[in-house]
Amino acid sequence: MTNLPTIALGDARVGFRGRILALDMSRAPGTGLPSEELERRLLELGFVEGATVELLHQGLFGADPIAIRVAASTIALRRREAMAIVVTEETSS
Amino acid sequence: MNASSELAPTVALVGNPNCGKTALFNTLTGSRQKVANYPGVTVEKKIGRLATPAGHAVQLVDLPGTYSLRARSPDEEITRDAVLGRLEGEGAPDLIVCVGDAANLRLALRLVLELKHVGRPVMLALNMMDIARRRGIEVDVARLSIELGVPVVSSVAVRRGGTEALLGELDRVLAHLPPPTTADWQPPDAAALRGAQRDADRILRLAVRAPDRRDEGTKRADSILLHPVLGLVILLAILFVMFQAVFAWAKPLMEAISTGFTWLGAAVGELPLPALLKSFLKDGLIAGVGSVIVFLPQIIILFFFILVLEDLGYMARAAFLMDRIMGGAGLHGRAFIPLLSSFACAIPGIMATRVIDDRRDRLTTILVAPLMTCSARIPVYTLIISAFIPDREVWGVLGLQGLVMFGLYAAGIAGALTVSFVVKRLFWRGSIGEPFMLEMPDYKLPQAKSLLFGVWSRALAFLQRAGTTILAMMILIWLLASFPQPPDGATGPAITYSLAAMIGHAIEPLTAPLGFNWQINVALIPGMAAREVAVGALGTIYSIDAGEGAAEKIGQALVGQWSLATALALLAWYVFAPQCASTLAVIRRETGGWQWMAITFGYMLLLAYLAAFATYQIASALGAA
């Protein structure tokens, strides 16, 4: 593995492909949910370390919300919550 | 079936949203199903019966979709409590069938692992196996079963014979039901969820071979339908067609129903019955029920559209496109469709708020839905506008009458957005609200059978409501308008001697600042049954016979009796007033209590009073008195 920089999924642009490195709730303050609850909800929708992600679509205003391909499902969420998902870019194929 | 089927084993269907669980339920039970409500909540309880090939009678329960037993919405609480046997008067199911979309098993496998902790036998049904195969996904069913430690069968809900394997397995499992073990389920914390998902991912790698590409059709469709600009344009076009359908297609049917009830009323009027009984049957029962049933075509068409969009998988996309726009006013993206529906009638709109998971978001939407200008306001608006607003052009192109009508719609929308904004800031301050997180399923063609069942059960729910709560309200309003009876030799219309008239006189000091005379107050009382009834009531009070050209004659009478300021104040009143008993009854039912109904009534009354007061006072000051 190369040492590509890590970014928050909430900062990624359409077309971004990568892999989840960690869930870090401290990066997504003020989501309206306690951090433990936010983490569980992200996990329940399949955002687990090691899963592949791809940013497929974004909304018109503020490029928000975003549609993320995670493994084999597509999940819509807001960038505010996606800030908690730490990813690294993968350029394979 | 017979009474002994009470002892039939209960099988619960559990699964992620969009896994095709309801289609499977419909196929397995056919018409042998009923929809009830769980006590105290508005979550639908769907139960059906089926017979297995070996002749076992089975009671099948379709539970709301969930990703985890860790309940986050009232729907998911039901799933958790039903599975754990915590529901009052109901035991735990004898068998849990977890339904998973064969093409998207990752989250379903984690749910299976969680379900194994509830102490009941579990099996996994791989649904929509045909679609998975077509997409080149291979599932090693035997391996999956070994790794998960539960029986696994494949099923195709929508094809004849597609459920044979499932039914056969049901027989095998039910013949040797293991004794229930003790439940050791605990709400999983983050570490447990993470561990379970890793385990599920491991099993998935062992048992499922899937090509690493998305569903081509969905990919292509989303590149257009979720395009930031084009997507919104298409959404608006879809809404326009839907709107058009609700108004245009429903119209002939509504007119037919209305004519039917008028005919029925007239027929009853001919019967040799005491006048009072005749009035009760004709003006209370038939007119009252008729004024509600007349909305049935609109409700059916509206729900048809909503269900088609939902089954297609488009609803999640609509919420995605609208989330940011609705969010500005403190509303959830999913509130969009219910509010739109409310332009036809607030009743289906409020019923449609069930798609909103978060309770607070749902309550805000229910609270403001009646402010959307529904079709029942149109007759009142038309009457007053055509009588009082001169038919001339402004700036050369726009008609003044049309402009006023547009202004009334705009006032309703602005009111709804303001109220939801204030509610969010004032009452639920500090809570930012539910994050927007939802799965966008692959597009699928809706199944005619599922659509039919869905529309049918909604129409039935509406009719049941019309037959109970709404009917009771209608009768109450008739009583108010009919008693006491006019004395012998009375010359005025009967309603002027009634309790409604007394109330009208009594509250005149209150409504005088709005420019409302007692006649308007009286008309507002039957107008509670349905807004447009006020038009007929005004006719009665001003002694105008119903019939050809009645509305025009009422209009002419009003011009002689009211000032322009009064007319404008009444329009302002109608934008906001809680003038619809049916809507209030539905709010009570959908929120499960009187509290939210009272709050809606209270705030709308206040807004209506303030709006009418301001309108009358300003218009009078400008010389319209």
Side-chain angles (χ1 to χ4, degrees), chain A residues 30 33 37-41 43-44 46 48-49 56-57 64-67 69 73-74 76-78 81, chain B residues 68 70 72 104 106 188 190 194 197-198 214 222 320 323-325 432 434-440:
Chain A
L33 287 179
E37 178 61 25
L38 176 62
E39 184 173 11
R40 289 198 284 185
R41 291 200 186 187
L43 289 166
E44 279 167 0
V48 174
E49 288 81 354
L56 299 176
H57 306 280
D64 203 28
I66 48 178
R69 187 78 181 167
S73 27
T74 306
L77 74 168
R78 295 191 188 125
E81 281 81 31
Chain B
S68 161
R70 214 175 54 75
R72 305 170 318 200
N104 191 5
R106 186 167 175 252
R194 198 175 255 116
Q197 188 60 61
R198 288 207 172 121
R214 295 169 60 201
D222 271 347
F320 178 86
D323 177 65
R324 195 60 188 244
I325 299 167
I432 298 178
E434 199 74 347
F436 177 77
M437 282 186 190
L438 79 162
E439 192 174 359
M440 299 208 270

Side-chain angles (χ1 to χ4, degrees), chain B residues 251-261:
Chain B
K251 208 174 174 199
L253 282 168
M254 290 175 78
E255 276 166 6
I257 293 174
S258 174
T259 311
F261 275 97

Side-chain angles (χ1 to χ4, degrees), chain B residues 388-404:
Chain B
F388 285 91
I389 308 295
D391 185 13
R392 61 178 168 83
E393 288 184 347
V394 217
W395 304 311
V397 276
L398 298 167
L400 185 60
Q401 293 188 336
L403 215 56
V404 171

